[in-house]
Amino acid sequence: MTVAAGIGYALVALGPSLSLFVSVISRKPFLILTLLSSTLVWLVSLIILSGLWRPFLPLKANVWWPYALLVLSSVCFQEALRFLFWKLYMRLEDVLDSFADRISRPRLFLTDKLQIALAGGLGHGVAHAVFFCLSLLTPAFGPATFYVDRCSKVPFFLVSAIIALAFVMIHTFSMVIAFEGYAKGNKVDQVIVPVIHLSAGMLTLVNFASEGCVIGVPLLYLVASLTLLHCGKMVWQRLIESRNQSGPTLR
């Protein structure tokens, strides 16, 4: 393979994130700060998880349950961290609202809150892509590519990039769902986010089967699509509710 191929794999994993950053996040400095802080938090969490599991590595490739336990513990840790991240955000929101009151400026609008959740989720997704995809791409810039026996039809680097893109979608929109669920006390949304996260993680174990990527990757994108649809429906309902509460406006 060539440099072009390596860059292509990176763009597969992070191209949509870059587009979202340019079109939405980069327009507001506080969204950029949210994205950077979220990326740092999730990278640190992945490093901590790696350190905790280091004494038990390497795991046997022909036994699936240790990997399932690894996924379960990682999801539990990250979901607890997500809740703490939201708590920290709520404190920051109170500070910003208090500051807005002092200088006689409007408080954060609903769209601002949704964009902050989006930026936080994008940071989570980018951290996942960097940790699980970009860190593996260095050999992809060489003169050859790499296949694995259990997914012999598609280059390993391409599969990694495609899976990373799916998780970027899942993490980005799951954060919006979670933040709204926590804020509104919606138990369904509070539960559905860990379920989505755990389901996506467990689906990656399908890749251990012979040619499992042919089944596992489409199922992973099904989970990502359902996450996107649920997030879009929830955001649309919240915007309608906000418009109705604000009363009729002059056209």
Side-chain angles (χ1 to χ4, degrees), residues 2 15 19 23 30 40 61 91 111 158-159 193 205 209 211 221 246:
T2 63
S19 299
S23 61
F30 67 88
L40 178 61
R91 291 189 178 184
T111 51
L158 180 58
V159 174
V193 170
L205 301 183
E211 304 300 335
Y221 271 86
S246 63

Side-chain angles (χ1 to χ4, degrees), residues 74-155:
S74 299
V75 169
C76 291
F77 180 82
Q78 291 195 11
E79 290 304 321
L81 186 60
R82 189 197 305 275
F83 182 74
L84 293 176
F85 188 75
W86 174 76
K87 282 287 190 181
L88 180 62
Y89 158 73
M90 290 303 297
R91 291 189 178 184
L92 178 61
E93 182 181 319
D94 291 338
V95 171
L96 292 175
D97 286 340
S98 299
F99 180 73
D101 292 338
R102 288 200 301 270
I103 62 175
S104 301
R105 297 294 298 273
R107 293 189 170 196
L108 290 174
F109 296 107
L110 174 61
T111 51
D112 294 325
K113 297 177 182 180
L114 292 174
Q115 287 176 352
I116 290 174
L118 183 71
L122 185 61
H124 189 182
V126 169
H128 186 281
V130 169
F131 196 86
F132 290 103
C133 180
L134 295 191
S135 62
L136 305 175
L137 286 185
T138 303
F141 290 88
T145 189
F146 178 65
Y147 291 84
V148 294
D149 293 336
R150 294 180 179 179
C151 190
S152 60
K153 306 297 183 182
V154 187

Side-chain angles (χ1 to χ4, degrees), residues 11 14-29 31-32 35 115 118-119 122-123 126 172:
L11 289 177
L14 290 175
S17 301
L18 180 60
S19 299
L20 187 60
F21 175 82
V22 172
S23 61
V24 179
I25 307 299
S26 63
R27 299 176 182 271
K28 298 180 179 180
L31 293 181
I32 297 176
L35 172 65
Q115 287 176 352
L118 183 71
L122 185 61
V126 169
T172 299

Side-chain angles (χ1 to χ4, degrees), residues 39-52:
T39 303
L40 178 61
V41 166
W42 296 109
L43 279 175
V44 170
S45 74
L46 291 171
I47 293 172
I48 292 173
L49 285 169
S50 299
L52 293 176

